[in-house]
Amino acid sequence: MSSTFKTFLKSGHWPTLLASFLYFDFCFAIWVLNGAMAPFITESFHLDAAQKGFMISVPILAGALMRFPLGVLAQYIGRKNAAMVEMGLIVLALAFGYFVVGSYSHVLAMGVLLGIAGASFGVALSLGSGWYPPKYKGLAMGIAGAGNSGTVLAVLFAPPLAQKFGWQTVYGLAAFTMLLPMAVMWFAAKEPPDVEHQSLREHISCLFEKDGWAFSLIYVVTFGGFIGLASFLPTYFYDQFKVTKVEAGQLTMLATLMGSAVRVVGGAVSDRVGGITTLTGVLVVAAVCLVACGMAGQSLVITTLLFMLCFAAFGAGNGALFQLVPLRWPLTTAVAGSMIGEVGALGGGFIPNAMGQSMQRTGSYLWGFVAFAAVALAMLAMLRVVQIRWTRTWAEKGGRARQAPGQQEPVSYGRG
């Protein structure tokens, strides 16, 4: 196992992979700050369940909408430069949070600005995996994508800092943390060689293909579920089990850490057995766990363990899906990843709002869980249908990479 990993590292440029991981990790932490501090913000402005859900969903939705433009920009100025521009804008956004935010409307505006950090996804994964050959791209993207462990940083450190210094101060402290990934990106990262100058229409061609939308809808469950639940869990634990605000963050950390760690495993397993096979198991486990979480609302221990299993499934699913992306779009991975990430992250806005509406209307969070479980089962049915065509054209059985060089570039079904 050790020799295999050394071979993997030597096959690409590991400093760029490290820089991509840190970039995504710190951006992800900033992206979910409002969710991590939601119990404090709720107390300050006396928000009802629906307002809480909407407030938590704003950064997720804003980040989703910003992903594709950043991916297109990266095609023109380079992924490293796009990352540096984005991190500079994040620092300015956090300064706004520290100096200006003081009302619920300001919090919503801040949520939009936090969305800048959520745009990092496609660029980080493409930059990190761009130096690696197809057979290792799943693992490389899994490592870069494990930067969603930034959720762990947010829910672990933001609540105690907010309790000690005030939640507005956390924005200012977070601005200084961005200096680390910016320095590593500047000095360690190199732009990958897999760049091809294309027209804007060629860049966005995946928007007009069935496969692009199939990937995006599956990602609604795997990543949308991860970011949506990660942002909402501090509020859920605080409201449902009456734990302290800091304890709510610590319990959320257990679940999100599991999802972040297993993402790497999901990418590596998918390199061996195929992303389609892995995604099939992931969607089944996620649907079952979501319903079970909703029904286990009286036991803190059981609920926490179920969330950990659910997040493990989400993490493995994210790694599996992005093992398939570079196989399907080998020359436009950054843009394809951004488009898929954009639609998928929009699904993350569904969960906080569904939970808020469920509690507001029925007095229970159960129906929010059930609604998202139904979405997971619908995506499973779709996957089993579309995978028939995938394995006949651009992937081996189960979704593994094809070895013959002539088979690396797939047919465009939307234009065919």
Side-chain angles (χ1 to χ4, degrees):
M1 196 70 171
S2 175
S3 61
T4 300
F5 189 69
K6 288 180 180 178
T7 302
F8 157 74
L9 289 178
K10 291 179 180 179
S11 70
H13 189 253
W14 68 263
T16 300
L17 182 59
L18 173 64
S20 299
F21 167 78
L22 290 175
Y23 158 54
F24 190 40
D25 192 59
F26 280 78
C27 284
F28 214 99
I30 302 303
W31 192 21
V32 299
L33 266 185
N34 278 1
M37 299 191 297
F40 296 91
I41 299 172
T42 296
E43 189 174 73
S44 294
F45 303 119
H46 309 290
L47 307 182
D48 61 32
Q51 287 176 315
K52 282 187 282 188
F54 181 68
M55 181 266 293
I56 293 170
S57 72
V58 169
I60 302 173
L61 296 172
L65 295 174
M66 293 179 190
R67 285 184 170 192
F68 185 70
L70 185 67
V72 173
L73 178 66
Q75 292 286 315
Y76 289 95
I77 69 172
R79 284 155 282 188
K80 177 179 176 178
N81 290 336
M84 293 299 298
V85 169
E86 182 192 12
M87 287 189 280
L89 292 174
I90 291 169
V91 172
L92 294 177
L94 291 169
F96 171 86
Y98 178 70
F99 289 109
V100 178
V101 171
S103 67
Y104 179 60
S105 61
H106 287 161
V107 171
L108 297 181
M110 186 62 194
V112 175
L113 294 177
L114 291 178
I116 297 171
S120 59
F121 175 78
V123 173
L125 267 64
S126 178
L127 178 63
S129 67
W131 286 96
Y132 290 85
K135 68 176 182 177
Y136 288 128
K137 281 192 181 292
L139 178 56
M141 295 185 102
I143 291 173
N148 58 23
S149 60
T151 307
V152 176
L153 299 178
V155 298
L156 188 60
F157 292 108
L161 289 173
Q163 185 165 284
K164 186 172 183 178
F165 301 108
W167 57 268
Q168 294 96 330
T169 305
V170 176
Y171 293 132
L173 296 173
F176 287 100
T177 67
M178 292 303 300
L179 298 178
L180 174 62
M182 291 179 76
V184 174
M185 182 66 70
W186 181 259
F187 291 107
K190 292 183 179 180
E191 186 69 18
D194 59 339
V195 177
E196 183 174 290
H197 295 291
Q198 300 170 322
S199 68
L200 179 60
R201 179 173 176 79
E202 288 173 321
H203 286 159
I204 64 174
S205 61
C206 56
L207 284 171
F208 305 103
E209 298 176 10
K210 294 178 182 178
D211 286 354
W213 290 103
F215 275 61
S216 298
L217 291 173
I218 294 170
Y219 206 54
V220 163
V221 176
T222 60
F223 183 75
F226 182 94
I227 185 63
L229 274 180
S231 297
F232 191 77
L233 279 189
T235 296
Y236 179 78
F237 280 123
Y238 181 68
D239 289 348
Q240 185 74 18
F241 298 104
K242 311 305 178 186
V243 297
T244 67
K245 301 180 184 74
V246 173
E247 288 171 340
Q250 293 169 340
L251 291 168
T252 302
M253 179 270 294
L254 293 175
T256 56
L257 182 61
M258 180 67 73
S260 301
V262 175
R263 176 165 190 152
V264 180
V265 177
V269 169
S270 297
D271 282 334
R272 290 179 175 272
V273 305
I276 295 169
T277 300
T278 307
L279 281 170
T280 299
V282 159
L283 292 171
V284 172
V285 172
V288 172
C289 286
L290 284 165
V291 175
C293 286
M295 299 178 68
Q298 301 306 314
S299 171
L300 178 59
V301 173
I302 294 176
T303 298
T304 302
L305 292 174
L306 284 170
F307 276 130
M308 291 175 69
L309 180 59
C310 188
F311 271 78
F314 289 149
N318 292 334
L321 190 132
F322 275 88
Q323 176 263 344
L324 295 172
V325 169
L327 304 182
R328 179 60 185 85
W329 292 279
L331 300 179
T332 54
T333 301
V335 172
S338 294
M339 185 273 288
I340 292 164
E342 180 169 339
V343 179
L346 287 172
F350 172 84
I351 290 183
N353 282 298
M355 294 297 184
Q357 291 296 328
S358 178
M359 174 58 74
Q360 188 91 345
R361 297 175 183 275
T362 69
S364 169
Y365 288 116
L366 172 63
W367 295 108
F369 287 111
V370 171
F372 201 65
V375 174
L377 292 176
M379 295 308 102
L380 173 62
M382 181 196 69
L383 173 64
R384 299 316 302 168
V385 173
V386 298
Q387 64 87 25
I388 298 173
R389 184 180 71 241
W390 293 356
T391 53
R392 289 176 179 172
T393 52
W394 52 267
E396 294 291 347
K397 184 178 179 180
R400 294 187 299 274
R402 290 189 167 184
Q403 299 303 313
Q407 293 175 301
Q408 290 301 317
E409 186 172 0
V411 177
S412 172
Y413 302 109
R415 299 189 301 274

